[in-house]
Amino acid sequence: MSNFINALTGMGPEDGAHGYVSCTANVIAYPCYYGARRYIFVDTPGFNATYTSQKAVFEKIAKWLSATYLERKLQFNGVIYTRRITETHRSRSERSSFQICANLIGNEAAHRVRLVTTMWDDPQDGSNFSAEENRESKLKEEQWRSLINEGATCERFLNTPVSAWDIVHGLGVDRKASLLLQRELVDMGKSLKQTSAGMRLHQESPTSLGSGKKTFWTLMRQKPFLHGYSTWGFRVVANSRGGRQGSDEASS
């Protein structure tokens, strides 16, 4: 479990969650109640996960996206992409992973994206955040510019539950969007290699459809009076205003 989801749910983090080796290997759903609403956060491995290839991560996410969209037309309340602000080097693998995510999301859903920088509680020089702020500005001006131009916004995670919930609440609960990959696979009947994200992945690594590392999150929401449903991927946010109704299901 990531540190971000730990802050939201109050559950204990996995070993290594605060380190630099990706510890999220599978797609796992975490149900949670906050106030009168029921949320389900679904954690996924990143496209540059330490021990899993980009192709394997992409296939897991695509399988879940297409299945839930086909069965329920499940749409996202938002997508949260996280990056450590303490990382000084932007590798080709990171840039590639971000572009795959952008192609998976699509321009029409970009306004539901939050580009979140983490580790602001640990300034590198021990006194101020000048280096981190410069790094954040470069991310906005360069690597993240394409999604920001389409409506994505940037946030800082301050490693507290309040900060995490502020980001989630900023997405609202009534606005939803389907991702480009969902529409391509289900509505347009494309194969994985024919999708925008699949073509980008093939472009980056023609022989295997890719390999690498990351931190990619998403957040979803079902309709207001949810009766319980199964999830297999991503971070889902669902809520039920009147408390629990029906059974809660989470399977992977």
Side-chain angles (χ1 to χ4, degrees):
M1 181 196 303
S2 72
N3 195 42
F4 188 86
I5 288 190
N6 169 245
L8 289 166
T9 64
M11 299 173 67
E14 291 178 306
D15 291 340
H18 300 280
Y20 283 83
V21 175
S22 175
C23 60
T24 303
N26 295 301
V27 186
I28 304 173
Y30 298 96
C32 169
Y33 279 84
Y34 189 90
R37 294 188 181 276
R38 174 177 180 266
Y39 296 83
I40 297 179
F41 301 97
V42 184
D43 203 358
T44 71
F47 280 112
N48 38 355
T50 307
Y51 302 113
T52 308
S53 70
Q54 284 183 331
K55 177 187 175 185
V57 171
F58 180 58
E59 288 175 344
K60 286 181 180 181
I61 293 172
K63 178 181 177 182
W64 179 80
L65 281 176
S66 59
T68 52
Y69 187 70
L70 179 63
E71 294 171 6
R72 305 170 183 273
K73 292 296 180 183
L74 186 62
Q75 294 180 306
F76 285 80
N77 178 247
V79 176
I80 297 176
Y81 180 98
T82 66
R83 183 194 191 277
R84 296 181 182 93
I85 197 61
T86 53
E87 291 186 5
T88 59
H89 178 62
R90 283 176 288 164
S91 66
R92 181 178 181 276
S93 172
E94 180 193 344
R95 292 192 296 270
S96 167
S97 297
F98 181 78
Q99 287 305 315
I100 293 168
C101 288
N103 286 122
L104 184 155
I105 294 163
N107 290 343
E108 290 184 16
H111 66 289
R112 307 309 300 154
V113 175
R114 297 297 180 265
L115 303 170
V116 177
T117 47
T118 67
M119 300 190 74
W120 286 95
D121 55 323
D122 185 24
Q124 288 180 312
D125 63 6
S127 59
N128 62 63
F129 295 95
S130 58
E132 286 80 3
E133 288 171 345
N134 288 337
R135 210 168 293 133
E136 181 186 44
S137 295
K138 285 192 174 182
L139 284 170
K140 292 178 180 179
E141 294 167 1
E142 299 172 5
Q143 184 171 311
W144 291 354
R145 173 54 53 189
S146 60
L147 273 182
I148 291 172
N149 286 344
E150 297 298 332
T153 58
C154 299
E155 302 279 357
R156 295 179 181 179
F157 172 49
L158 305 181
N159 200 27
T160 66
V162 170
S163 176
W165 280 107
D166 282 347
I167 294 170
V168 171
H169 289 153
L171 287 164
V173 296
D174 297 319
R175 300 179 64 188
K176 298 178 291 182
S178 56
L179 302 186
L180 177 60
L181 185 62
Q182 290 177 299
R183 300 195 303 273
E184 288 179 322
L185 291 173
V186 178
D187 296 337
M188 303 176 194
K190 293 184 177 182
S191 68
L192 278 180
K193 285 187 178 181
Q194 292 173 324
T195 65
S196 299
M199 287 190 291
R200 180 75 192 198
L201 189 56
H202 183 70
Q203 176 184 333
E204 297 295 336
S205 184
T207 57
S208 66
L209 272 181
S211 62
K213 159 202 159 199
K214 160 289 98 201
T215 345
F216 179 65
W217 310 76
T218 73
L219 180 62
M220 291 183 198
R221 176 186 175 276
Q222 270 257 28
K223 297 180 179 178
F225 306 104
L226 183 71
H227 283 247
Y229 63 95
S230 298
T231 60
W232 185 85
F234 274 56
R235 177 173 337 145
V236 182
V237 177
N239 69 75
S240 178
R241 292 179 181 273
R244 189 183 305 270
Q245 297 186 27
S247 61
D248 292 343
E249 301 175 5
S251 61
S252 57

